Amino acid sequence: MVVSKVDKYLDEHNIFWFKINRPEKRNAIDYDVMSELCEAISFVSRNEKIRAFFITGEGTKSFCSGGDLSIFHALHTKEEAYEMLSRMGETLYSLCTLPVPTYAIINGTAIGGGCEIAAACDVRIAYSDSKMGFVQGNLGITTGWGGASMLMEKVTHPHAVMMLNSTKVYTAKEAKELGFVQRVISEEQLPLLHEEVKASSKVLRSYKQAIIMKWKQSQLKQRMLAEIEQCSILWEMEEHHQAVRSFLEGKK
C-alpha cells in the first residue's frame, strides 16, 4: 500500500491543515511534498471560505528536517541546485503571501529548511519539547529557500543574525525569547488552536493584505531570489558536497 506523503484536510472551523507525512524521513521535503504544498497553497488562495492555513508534521518527533538530502545530494552544479531551490523558494513566498493567516505548528524538531518553512508563516506555535535551528551553515551553505529574508521580517535584525550565524539549535523556550516562536504549548492544547483565528474569513483576509502590501513594497520576493542565488553558488562548492557526504555516511 502506498502511503501519502502529506495529509490535507479542511476542519470544522474552516482551517486548512497541511501535514507532512514522512516520519521515517523526519518529515523531510522531497519533490512530491513540494508539489503537494504548492497545490494546497493554490487551493486555499482560491477558496474564500477558508480562514487560516496550519502546517505541521506527522508525529511528535519532527516538524520538518528540511530538504531530503538523500535525494537532493544528486544535485551538483549551481544550475541544478538553483532549479530546486528557487522552486521551493517560490512556493514559500506563496505561503508567506497567502491571503489568510498562516501558522507553523512546530511539533518536534525543525531544522534547516524546516525553519525556513516556519519562517514563511505568520505565527509559530511550538510544542514545549520541540527544538529548532537554521543549521545550514554546518553543510557549507546558506538558507536555500529564502529563509533568511523571511526571518528578518519576523524577528529583530540582531536576533536573526544570531540564529543564522550560530547554526545553533534552540529550545522552544529560547526561540520564544528571541521572538521566533509566539506560543509554547503542550500536545493536549492542539484541539484549541482554532481559537487563534476567531474573526471571519473576510476580516482575516483583510488584515493579511496589509502585511502582504508591505512585503511587496519591500521587494521580499526579489530579496529571496537573490538569497537563493547565493546559496546555489555555495551549493556546488566541495565544502558543501563533503559535508553532505559526511552527514549521509554518519546516518548509515
Side-chain angles (χ1 to χ4, degrees):
M1 181 178 68
V2 177
V3 178
S4 174
K5 295 180 180 180
V6 303
D7 290 328
K8 300 177 290 187
Y9 64 93
L10 189 62
D11 71 13
E12 66 272 23
H13 305 287
N14 278 332
I15 293 172
F16 187 94
W17 286 81
F18 185 96
K19 180 185 290 185
I20 305 168
N21 185 25
R22 304 187 74 209
E24 76 286 355
K25 293 286 188 177
R26 297 187 302 160
N27 294 323
I29 303 295
D30 65 4
Y31 290 112
D32 292 333
V33 177
M34 280 189 194
S35 296
E36 292 276 7
L37 180 57
C38 186
E39 290 175 10
I41 290 169
S42 178
F43 173 78
V44 172
S45 182
R46 297 192 310 268
N47 191 327
E48 295 187 358
K49 292 183 179 180
I50 295 176
R51 302 169 58 249
F53 182 99
F54 286 11
I55 184 169
T56 190
E58 176 61 36
T60 58
K61 293 184 178 180
S62 182
F63 167 74
C64 176
S65 60
D68 190 339
L69 293 180
S70 66
I71 294 174
F72 296 149
H73 82 287
L75 307 175
H76 292 284
T77 68
K78 171 188 171 183
E79 292 74 21
E80 290 171 338
Y82 185 81
E83 182 178 358
M84 180 275 290
L85 297 173
S86 61
R87 175 180 170 185
M88 188 61 177
E90 293 268 6
T91 299
L92 291 191
Y93 178 76
S94 296
L95 176 60
C96 195
T97 56
L98 196 62
V100 298
T102 54
Y103 289 72
I105 313 302
I106 303 173
N107 58 313
T109 303
I111 58 172
C115 266
E116 297 191 64
I117 293 172
C121 295
D122 296 308
V123 177
R124 283 150 295 284
I125 297 174
Y127 285 13
S128 57
D129 60 351
S130 61
K131 296 181 179 181
M132 59 209 76
F134 292 85
V135 300
Q136 290 89 334
N138 294 331
L139 292 175
I141 55 173
T142 55
T143 43
W145 296 338
S149 298
M150 292 184 290
L151 178 65
M152 290 177 185
E153 296 288 333
K154 308 302 172 68
V155 303
T156 66
H157 173 78
H159 287 158
V161 171
M162 285 174 56
M163 293 184 76
L164 294 167
N165 290 352
S166 69
T167 72
K168 179 181 174 180
V169 176
Y170 295 88
T171 64
K173 180 181 178 182
E174 290 171 331
K176 186 175 186 296
E177 291 171 353
L178 293 173
F180 186 65
V181 166
Q182 282 64 60
R183 280 186 61 196
V184 177
I185 65 170
S186 65
E187 186 179 358
E188 290 72 26
Q189 293 173 283
L190 188 64
L192 301 176
L193 288 184
H194 64 89
E195 295 180 358
E196 295 282 333
V197 283
K198 287 188 174 181
S200 70
S201 174
K202 285 184 172 58
V203 169
L204 294 168
R205 287 172 180 256
S206 293
Y207 279 137
K208 186 62 182 281
Q209 282 304 315
I211 190 65
I212 291 174
M213 184 178 296
K214 175 196 172 186
W215 287 333
K216 287 183 176 180
Q217 290 174 343
S218 68
Q219 297 187 316
L220 175 60
K221 185 175 183 179
Q222 290 84 346
R223 288 185 281 135
M224 289 173 63
L225 291 175
E227 177 187 340
I228 291 167
E229 175 79 16
Q230 288 298 310
C231 181
S232 67
I233 293 171
L234 294 174
W235 188 285
E236 71 176 359
M237 301 294 181
E238 181 56 28
E239 177 186 355
H240 170 61
H241 294 304
Q242 179 57 50
V244 172
R245 285 194 293 268
S246 297
F247 175 80
L248 293 175
E249 288 170 2
K251 292 180 66 178
K252 292 179 181 178

